[in-house]
Amino acid sequence: MITALLVMAGLALVLGATLGAASVLFKTQGDPLVDKIDAILPQTQCGQCGYPGCKPYATAIAGGDADINQCPPGGDEGVRKLADLLGREYKPLNAEHGVEKPKSVALIDEATCIGCTLCIQACPVDAIVGAAKQMHTIVGDLCTGCELCVPPCPADCIDMVPVTETVESWKWRYPVFELKVQPATLPAKEAA
Amino acid sequence: MLNKLFSFNGGVKPDPNKSASTREPIARLALPPQLVIPLHQHIGGTPRPLVTVGSTVLGGQRIGAPDGNVSSAVHAPTSGRVVAIEPRPMPHASGLSSPAVVIEPDGLDTAIERELFDWHAAAPGEIRDFLRDAGVVGLGGAVFPSHLKLNPGKSGHTDTLVINGAECEPFITCDDMLMRAEPGNILRGALIMQRMLAAKQVLVALEDNKPEAAAALKSAARALGHASLEVVVVPTRYPAGGAKQLIRVLTGIEVPHGSRSTDFGVQCFNVATALAVWRALEHGEPLTRRIVTVTGNVERPRNFDVAIGTPISHLFAAAGLKPDTDKLIMGGPMMGIPLPNIDAPVVKATNCLLASSPTLFAPPEPELPCIRCGECARACPADLQPFELYWHSRARNFGRAQEYKLFDCIECGCCAYVCPSHIPLVDYYRYAKSEIWARERDKDAADSARERFEFRNWRADREKEEKAAKLAARNAAKPAVKPADGAAPAADVAPSAGEDPKKALIEAAMARARAQKEAVAAKNTDALTPAQQAQIDAAEERRKRASELSGSDAPVK
Amino acid sequence: MYNSPYLRQNTSVRRVMVTVLVAMLPAIAMQVWLFGIGLLLQIAIASATALACEAAMLSLRRRPVARALGDGSALVTAWLIAVCLPPLLPWWMIVIGTSFAIIIGKHLYGGLGQNPFNPAMLAYCVLIISFPALMSQWPGLQGSDAATQLNWVLGGERALDAVTGATPLDALRTGLLGNADVSAVMQSPAFGHVAGAGWEWVALAWGAGGLLLLALRIITWHIPAAFLGAMALVSGVAWLIDPSHYASPAFHLLAGGTMLGAFFIATDPVSGATTPRGKLIFAAGIALIAWLIRAFGAYPDGIAFAVLLLNICVPLIDIKTQPPVFGHKVEPPDGGAR
């Protein structure tokens, strides 16, 4: 009886000490979950999710304050990845926050630009160069396509131009997988 | 000297089909009415155009300047007039367009005065720059700028320089014919490369199905009489001409993916590149022409010496394209890419143009499920497990595909060649690779956006802090300033200010600002024309609208 | 739209499967010659069942029926089931076994190329667990004429004496349980020269068919060599230690399903290991477990169970035995395999 008690007590002490040591030794710095979520988000910094940037949205998701389907630029794939990471159910993109669009970049019509710098102040990633009363221009490679520069422009001179495929960015297509019966070879009533 | 050849695993032995295009010697093809010279023909940066629309160019004149050191120049093959600089369809599987200089030859073929270059006396760095500016790139298909490879690296010397004339792919014979036609100059180019690389030995390797070329090279080598230069005949087995496979066969060294063969003391160049180096250094002749095999479903298969920029349709017209041709291929039947556009130009990478017909290359039988028979693994020259790569690529499981070393795949096509289930294995690898590259591009863009966003936020915070600090400093300084100069302005601007020194200060500042504004604004607003006035009004109007729209009260800072 | 390579070797799944069927012919002929034509009827029943199930499952799964039926994989499964079952089983057992193999063993996992288990061995195990008595009735040499054999396969009345019962492995097992010693049991004429009158010849015919597959590069040497080598090794060690309780390696190599298993069953690429070293481990594992079951287990032969057990291990074996990739041979590849 005494032995059993001693054994159990000893065991409890050892295990407790191990757990305590582990919690000190393997303590994680910061919140890796927020960074993991942030890594999935597209970093457009467009604010369509209702938060001022991707990081705040990631923090809100990690804190349980925001849903995973509020990021239109991340699109369906982004929602799926978030659902995967967080072990949550996939849900379609919330239309309140916008719809998925092909990636675009902003383009300033240089003839109409009055050099007001409003777009420069709006750009979240400093992708617009220019100075007061000087023509502005957008560095296409840096533009995330967030559209935040479009509404402030007093001269309405910013257009969103979809990014087209080039020889460099062209991708080989997924090979056609022919195992399934094509609709044409199905019986007529099914095809119809 | 070389007493032992090694072997690589795998490989296949397809029917070479080379005899058709080697019956006739190389023919020099007449200039087409228009040359389309793409600016980007090699690995690395896109050259900047050096000519403008309407300007006249001479043969050999540089029309594209290398963009940085990892790039190469582009030259006009003949004299003529630049009629356009615009995107034109490329000889690329996508059929997309890319910037090109379009030249209308004047028929005179006047050459620019050649810069003669004394490479014997020049430093290696100068020779490399010269080759870059002469547009010499690898002509075996990879079009990697040659000057970058002609560098022995830190060690300062190289063990073996391999000159690759293996040409293992069926149908292609351009290197074969070139070796028969100019064996001496190829070897002279190789010796220049040997000097630049400080290489102990030069091995010129070709497959044993090219006895004529081997004989020509051997007698030329004897004539040159260099002890360190050797012509090596290797067994015919596809892909023995892959740089890594050939290096393995000759030296037993396996160069892993992602490392440079220089680090292993070996460097490999195509025979045509060796010739281009010799021509550039000996004659100051830039790379503007190359040999192209035109074969397959054509009436008169043969090799043509063509100006780079010649439309592909021009070559097929010369060879007589048969009417039942169903597709055009650039390169050979194992690794070639489909050409959606027959008007795309010949580029530095174009070694072969192959016309396909349903009888020549039967459309593949329908794809069946993989039965993991392992034929592909036995055929793979890179010792990969192709069926595992296929499995993960098909499932879009790119991480796993990379774990199985997807990027070690050289896309030689051996696996698909032997697959009993007729699976287009290489298509899956190409798909997976380009998806992975696209994702990496997206990730890099996202990372840079994140960094810039965070920097911007940090800057905004810093500015706010600085403003607050400045304000605090000014507030702290105020009591000391007040007795000295506070009284004077208060006296002449606002007599009542004495009661409230703070108010007085603000009043004074506003008055100064008003005075300043009048002084600045008045300068060019006198004697305006009505048109100018209207413009100003319009701008003011826009400014007003802007302030309403943005809700901000200061449109211009 | 298809891309390079535009050249293709003249090969197909159908060709591979037909070659396997051809390689099975010597052993089938030998068995028919020694034991009568009942086997041919069994093969016919199994083939018809397999094709019918395959067609039904393909159309249920909305896959092109004709193309997949033409690949011949269902026929190979059917023939393997027919040859590993005792000849002269009633027809309904063959139907049950074959349809289980095709429907549950193959198509429920996604059809050709997706099954983790060898379908023929699944069928064998299901039958031996469900009908142990019928599965142990093996006919004797020239035990009955053709008409009787056909009658039995078609479900007619069975005269149990004529079905002499035990295979050599079975007889050995019963004898050893009765405290007899190996050499005493093997005195019986049913044991023939080495491993059972008649059966040893069938085993040699399987070996001949297997050599044909090797020569035609349908299979590689790894699996048969490791299988037979491991079988000879473990049985040899046991035999050297105690020859009165353990049969000789020659007996084990030629008895039961050893040869069939080494060349035709374990070499199934879909459910087997794929890397060269993995194949060696896979086949040696099967041989070891099969010998353990023969020597100590409750069943006379254990090839089928051994194959299924090793099928489970295939993913792990494959991951741990990935061969080094070109250029990566100096450093140890993932998993510390070298």
Side-chain angles (χ1 to χ4, degrees):
Chain A
M1 178 66 186
I2 294 288
T3 335
L5 277 176
L6 283 178
V7 166
M8 291 312 283
L11 215 58
L13 273 176
V14 171
L15 290 178
T18 319
L19 281 177
S23 74
V24 175
L25 281 176
F26 303 116
K27 195 172 157 66
T28 47
Q29 295 298 321
D31 189 354
L33 186 62
V34 172
D35 287 337
K36 277 186 196 161
I37 297 172
D38 195 40
I40 292 174
L41 297 175
Q43 305 303 325
T44 22
Q45 319 293 359
C46 60
Q48 291 183 71
C49 51
Y51 294 87
C54 295
K55 190 74 172 263
Y57 177 44
T59 317
I61 295 178
D65 303 327
D67 215 335
I68 55 171
N69 61 348
Q70 303 181 359
C71 176
D76 210 48
E77 203 191 330
V79 180
R80 277 182 204 284
K81 279 190 187 159
L82 286 174
D84 243 25
L85 174 73
L86 301 167
R88 290 201 209 161
E89 200 71 28
Y90 160 80
K91 46 178 88 172
L93 212 57
N94 189 345
E96 272 177 36
H97 296 277
V99 287
E100 198 176 344
K101 282 185 258 184
K103 181 167 167 27
S104 314
V105 291
L107 185 74
I108 293 178
D109 178 5
E110 289 162 358
T112 338
C113 176
I114 54 167
C116 68
T117 77
L118 283 180
C119 56
I120 296 182
Q121 293 163 53
C123 180
V125 292
D126 291 340
I128 307 179
V129 287
K133 295 184 185 164
Q134 306 289 319
M135 180 193 76
H136 302 343
T137 193
I138 290 173
V139 184
D141 288 348
L142 301 179
C143 177
T144 63
C146 68
E147 304 187 8
L148 287 180
C149 53
V150 178
C153 178
D156 231 0
C157 69
I158 304 181
D159 284 320
M160 296 306 294
V161 184
V163 177
T164 50
E165 230 173 11
T166 64
V167 170
E168 281 76 32
S169 71
W170 179 80
K171 294 191 281 187
W172 286 89
R173 304 296 185 260
Y174 189 73
V176 185
F177 197 62
E178 280 192 274
L179 267 186
K180 283 215 170 74
V181 176
Q182 301 299 313
T185 58
L186 283 175
K189 66 173 176 10
E190 272 187 68
Chain B
M1 280 186 297
L2 195 71
N3 39 29
K4 190 183 171 213
L5 284 184
F6 296 82
S7 174
F8 60 92
N9 294 330
V12 293
K13 288 183 177 174
D15 187 358
N17 271 306
K18 292 190 187 247
S19 55
S21 53
T22 51
R23 270 182 227 125
E24 307 272 340
I26 298 169
R28 198 179 161 97
L29 197 66
L31 284 171
Q34 231 180 34
L35 289 164
V36 179
I37 299 136
L39 285 165
H40 196 220
Q41 299 191 34
H42 49 258
I43 310 272
T46 305
R48 305 180 308 276
L50 292 174
V51 289
T52 49
V53 178
S55 58
T56 51
V57 292
L58 297 172
Q61 182 180 336
R62 208 180 311 152
I63 55 175
D67 174 39
N69 201 34
V70 188
S71 185
S72 193
V74 178
H75 301 79
T78 184
S79 57
R81 204 168 56 86
V82 176
V83 292
I85 299 175
E86 62 189 15
R88 286 292 181 108
M90 286 295 112
H92 186 264
S94 67
L96 290 171
S97 299
S98 189
V101 177
V102 184
I103 295 174
E104 235 171 47
D106 55 14
L108 304 171
D109 203 11
T110 327
I112 196 166
E113 196 179 329
R114 294 210 171 123
E115 338 167 31
L116 278 181
F117 181 67
D118 183 15
W119 62 272
H120 297 274
E126 286 170 19
I127 307 182
R128 283 196 287 275
D129 288 350
F130 185 83
L131 289 175
R132 181 193 64 209
D133 295 340
V136 178
V137 297
L139 294 174
V143 282
F144 190 81
S146 299
H147 64 275
L148 296 170
K149 280 168 76 184
L150 282 167
N151 192 338
K154 279 189 245 61
S155 67
H157 63 87
T158 310
D159 291 329
T160 310
L161 166 64
V162 175
I163 302 296
N164 185 350
E167 200 167 49
C168 56
E169 204 168 340
F171 286 94
I172 309 179
T173 58
C174 58
D175 290 346
D176 185 5
M177 296 310 283
L178 191 70
M179 288 186 285
R180 293 189 206 184
E182 293 197 63
N185 294 342
I186 290 172
L187 296 182
R188 281 180 202 106
L191 290 173
I192 298 176
M193 289 173 158
Q194 180 188 23
R195 209 190 79 149
M196 291 180 72
L197 287 168
K200 290 189 193 119
Q201 59 172 351
V202 185
L203 302 176
V204 184
L206 70 171
E207 282 189 335
D208 57 12
N209 60 2
K210 303 175 193 51
E212 297 90 346
L217 281 173
K218 276 179 179 162
S219 68
R222 266 195 305 277
L224 283 171
H226 266 266
S228 58
L229 179 76
E230 192 183 352
V231 177
V232 188
V233 176
V234 301
T236 299
R237 181 156 55 110
Y238 179 82
K244 288 179 180 183
Q245 278 66 35
L246 190 62
I247 288 173
R248 160 92 195 151
V249 167
L250 294 173
T251 65
I253 294 169
E254 290 191 2
V255 181
H257 168 75
S259 19
R260 292 167 309 168
S261 60
T262 333
D263 300 338
F264 293 80
V266 195
Q267 196 52 282
C268 182
F269 291 93
N270 178 266
V271 282
T273 316
L275 184 66
V277 166
W278 182 78
R279 283 189 181 158
L281 293 180
E282 200 65 34
H283 299 302
E285 198 179 307
L287 182 64
T288 59
R289 304 185 72 86
R290 69 156 298 150
I291 314 290
V292 179
T293 309
V294 184
T295 183
N297 198 38
V298 292
E299 306 283 354
R300 298 171 295 279
R302 79 183 295 176
N303 281 280
F304 293 101
D305 176 3
V306 292
I308 283 158
T310 306
I312 283 162
S313 52
H314 196 66
L315 278 87
F316 276 122
L321 193 63
K322 288 189 192 165
D324 62 332
T325 300
D326 64 342
K327 67 159 63 183
L328 305 174
I329 299 158
M330 181 169 107
M334 297 298 285
M335 294 183 71
I337 56 163
L339 286 178
N341 197 326
I342 195 171
D343 291 317
V346 165
V347 290
K348 291 176 183 175
T350 311
N351 52 358
C352 178
L353 293 170
L354 191 56
S356 153
S357 74
T359 44
L360 189 63
F361 302 125
E365 285 173 55
E367 178 180 338
L368 287 173
C370 167
I371 55 168
R372 292 159 46 94
C373 64
E375 273 301 317
C376 48
R378 267 178 275 169
C380 181
D383 303 330
L384 296 163
Q385 299 279 302
F387 57 92
E388 301 276 12
L389 294 177
Y390 154 70
W391 190 259
H392 297 303
S393 301
R394 204 189 80 181
R396 300 180 170 84
N397 196 345
F398 301 124
R400 293 284 284 164
Q402 277 175 283
E403 278 172 38
Y404 280 96
K405 308 250 192 277
L406 173 67
F407 284 100
D408 281 65
C409 166
I410 56 170
E411 299 178 27
C412 64
C414 289
C415 51
Y417 177 79
V418 297
C419 180
S421 293
H422 312 294
I423 301 169
L425 290 160
V426 188
D427 279 354
Y428 282 99
Y429 311 149
R430 292 189 189 112
Y431 159 75
K433 285 182 183 178
S434 60
E435 274 305 315
I436 292 169
W437 284 323
R439 268 155 216 234
E440 273 169 12
R441 278 198 299 273
D442 287 353
K443 199 183 162 293
D444 288 349
D447 286 346
S448 118
R450 181 188 295 121
E451 215 170 272
R452 297 178 74 83
F453 178 64
E454 277 165 8
F455 175 74
R456 182 178 181 273
N457 289 350
W458 173 80
R459 193 187 59 211
D461 288 349
R462 189 194 63 191
E463 276 167 8
K464 216 180 278 168
E465 263 169 40
E466 277 172 2
K467 211 176 263 176
K470 219 182 263 172
L471 206 66
R474 202 182 292 162
N475 283 345
K478 237 179 271 168
V481 173
K482 200 176 90 181
D485 70 350
D492 43 274
V493 178
S496 63
E499 298 153 18
D500 192 347
K502 211 177 202 175
K503 205 173 175 183
L505 267 174
I506 293 174
E507 287 282 329
M510 281 175 71
R512 273 203 306 277
R514 256 199 310 274
Q516 207 171 13
K517 196 174 174 186
E518 272 157 22
V520 173
K523 271 183 192 160
N524 63 348
T525 42
D526 300 334
L528 287 173
T529 63
Q532 276 170 328
Q533 188 56 52
Q535 258 180 342
I536 289 168
D537 290 347
E540 287 297 333
E541 180 61 28
R542 278 205 302 274
R543 207 169 288 178
K544 214 168 93 194
R545 211 172 55 227
S547 67
E548 280 161 14
L549 273 172
S550 67
S552 135
D553 32 19
V556 181
K557 257 196 199 166
Chain C
M1 189 66 190
Y2 60 97
N3 299 308
S4 61
Y6 301 97
L7 284 177
R8 296 287 182 135
Q9 207 173 40
N10 187 10
T11 171
S12 65
V13 174
R14 183 199 186 94
R15 183 180 283 239
V16 171
M17 296 295 174
V18 169
T19 316
V20 174
L21 293 180
V22 169
M24 288 171 79
L25 289 178
I28 291 171
M30 184 67 83
Q31 201 172 329
V32 168
W33 184 55
L34 290 169
F35 296 93
I37 62 162
L39 175 66
L40 292 182
L41 188 57
Q42 277 190 322
I43 289 179
I45 294 170
S47 304
T49 312
L51 291 178
C53 290
E54 179 100 350
M57 290 308 289
L58 285 167
S59 61
L60 277 175
R61 292 177 53 219
R62 300 253 172 106
R63 296 294 195 276
V65 175
R67 191 196 296 165
L69 269 191
D71 66 26
S73 62
L75 277 184
V76 170
T77 306
W79 285 31
L80 286 173
I81 293 172
V83 296
C84 67
L85 295 180
L88 315 188
L89 277 187
W91 64 271
W92 50 267
M93 276 184 67
I94 300 162
V95 171
I96 289 176
T98 312
S99 46
F100 185 88
I102 299 288
I103 296 172
I104 296 179
K106 183 174 175 187
H107 279 285
L108 287 196
Y109 286 106
L112 180 63
Q114 312 270 350
N115 46 301
F117 298 107
N118 187 316
M121 292 300 99
L122 269 185
Y124 182 89
C125 289
V126 163
L127 291 178
I128 203 167
I129 291 169
S130 312
F131 311 99
L134 278 168
M135 285 291 283
S136 61
Q137 288 175 5
W138 292 71
L141 271 178
Q142 266 86 39
S144 48
D145 58 38
T148 325
Q149 290 200 344
L150 296 186
N151 184 30
W152 284 351
V153 175
L154 293 174
E157 199 63 31
R158 302 165 80 85
L160 273 181
D161 319 344
V163 187
T164 49
T167 59
L169 276 170
D170 221 352
L172 178 69
R173 194 187 153 64
T174 327
L176 287 175
L177 283 176
N179 283 327
D181 118 327
V182 170
S183 54
V185 178
M186 302 256 282
Q187 289 302 313
S188 150
F191 278 87
H193 301 286
V194 184
W199 290 111
E200 55 204 19
W201 293 107
V202 176
L204 287 176
W206 283 123
L211 292 180
L212 179 69
L213 288 184
L214 267 177
L216 294 175
R217 289 174 48 89
I218 301 291
I219 59 174
T220 58
W221 58 270
H222 303 82
I223 286 181
F227 193 112
L228 298 177
M231 181 62 96
L233 187 74
V234 285
S235 59
V237 168
W239 179 63
L240 286 176
I241 292 170
D242 185 359
S244 66
H245 274 89
Y246 302 104
S248 70
F251 174 82
H252 276 293
L253 288 181
L254 291 177
T258 310
M259 284 291 176
L260 173 64
F263 288 101
F264 289 84
I265 304 285
T267 51
D268 168 34
V270 175
S271 57
T274 50
T275 63
R277 277 180 309 138
K279 283 177 180 171
L280 297 178
I281 296 170
F282 173 74
I286 294 175
L288 177 67
I289 293 178
W291 180 81
L292 286 174
I293 294 174
R294 282 179 180 184
F296 307 108
Y299 289 92
D301 203 350
I303 306 272
F305 294 107
V307 167
L308 294 187
L309 285 174
L310 264 294
N311 282 164
I312 300 174
C313 309
V314 159
L316 182 68
I317 295 175
D318 275 353
I319 286 175
K320 290 293 173 195
T321 58
Q322 282 299 312
V325 171
F326 186 93
H328 298 277
K329 284 167 193 168
V330 252
E331 88 231 9
D334 296 349
R338 182 169 265 233

